[in-house]
Amino acid sequence: FYDIKQFNFLDLNEDAKDTPSGIHLITQEQAKQIMSILETALKSDIDVTVHCTAGLCRSGAVAEVGEMIGYNYIGLTKQPNSYVKKMLLKQIDYYDNMFK
């Protein structure tokens, strides 16, 4: 791999009540960093591999937003975490424009 980035956040939606100490939902800063990585790699024609613990929800959200900005998804299954997807889309103003 050219570079490896790691982000730690839970596979929960924004209405989650209890989270283990030290681990949290995706933050705006993490979403901004992920989108920056995706956009920079896309402009440089660099492939991106995304994976999470189960490889479906958090990574599925990143992969789905990646598709929306121009990547070709080559995975089998994804069940995108709606909160992670919403946070990523907010970084490109897509989410706010979609619901105006």
Side-chain angles (χ1 to χ4, degrees):
F1 292 102
Y2 173 76
D3 196 7
I4 297 173
K5 304 288 186 195
Q6 184 175 357
F7 297 88
N8 293 310
F9 52 86
L10 294 172
D11 185 19
L12 298 172
N13 287 308
E14 60 191 317
D15 60 349
K17 302 286 185 231
D18 298 317
T19 60
S21 178
I23 305 176
H24 48 76
L25 302 176
I26 187 172
T27 65
Q28 277 190 300
E29 184 57 35
Q30 288 172 319
K32 183 177 181 178
Q33 290 172 354
I34 291 168
M35 286 309 302
S36 176
I37 291 165
L38 289 176
E39 291 170 340
T40 300
L42 185 63
K43 288 176 187 172
S44 301
D45 198 30
I46 296 172
D47 293 334
V48 174
T49 300
V50 181
H51 204 288
C52 62
T53 303
L56 293 173
C57 300
R58 288 166 286 183
S59 60
V62 175
E64 194 161 286
V65 172
E67 280 182 285
M68 296 170 89
I69 66 168
Y71 281 97
N72 293 317
Y73 178 70
I74 59 170
L76 300 174
T77 305
K78 58 185 171 191
Q79 300 170 338
N81 176 296
S82 60
Y83 184 64
V84 173
K85 184 177 175 181
K86 180 174 110 174
M87 292 295 286
L88 295 172
L89 290 174
K90 280 186 172 191
Q91 298 306 310
I92 55 174
D93 295 326
Y94 185 92
Y95 184 83
D96 292 331
N97 291 331
M98 190 167 65
F99 294 101
K100 281 187 176 181

